[in-house]
Amino acid sequence: MSQGRKITVIVLAVAGVVSTPLVWLLDGPDAGQLAGACVQAAAGIAALVWALFQHPGNRADDTAVRTGPARADDGGTALTGVRRPQGRGSGSAQAERIGGATATGDGSNAVSGIDYT
């Protein structure tokens, strides 16, 4: 969860805990209003606790700069750059002035840049 969303959830949870239950309780609540205030406060507190324990988003910025050449033979993989299997990660990936990648032989693979496979 991003920091902005986390702050938004916390603010809304605090507003939910304080707003309506406070109005009901200050106006001499009946049994239904008191029960509703308790349920609403509990839901707001649960949302607040949940938001506080959320980890920041999985954001990683990957950069490869001035890599040397790579060579793969007979089923190997040569990579000069950044590998992001199946496009995982939410940050940017960047490759600058990278070396050449060469693959020879059956099943060999060479990538010069960013590999999303």
Side-chain angles (χ1 to χ4, degrees):
M1 173 182 284
S2 71
Q3 189 69 17
R5 286 184 189 230
K6 188 175 184 178
I7 290 170
T8 302
V9 169
I10 291 171
V11 168
L12 291 174
V14 168
V17 168
V18 173
S19 66
T20 306
L22 183 63
V23 170
W24 284 345
L25 295 175
L26 292 177
D27 193 30
D30 59 21
Q33 288 174 326
L34 186 58
C38 292
V39 169
Q40 186 172 352
I45 290 169
L48 178 63
V49 170
W50 175 79
L52 289 174
F53 286 104
Q54 291 299 306
H55 295 287
N58 183 17
R59 180 165 171 78
D61 294 328
D62 299 322
T63 305
V65 179
R66 295 185 190 163
T67 63
R71 178 178 169 85
D73 295 314
D74 299 326
T77 300
L79 171 68
T80 60
V82 175
R83 175 169 283 161
R84 285 259 178 105
Q86 297 159 353
R88 278 188 240 149
S90 60
S92 66
Q94 189 174 350
E96 299 175 7
R97 296 186 304 263
I98 52 176
T102 306
T104 58
D106 291 336
S108 296
N109 185 27
V111 177
S112 181
I114 302 171
D115 183 10
Y116 288 106
T117 59

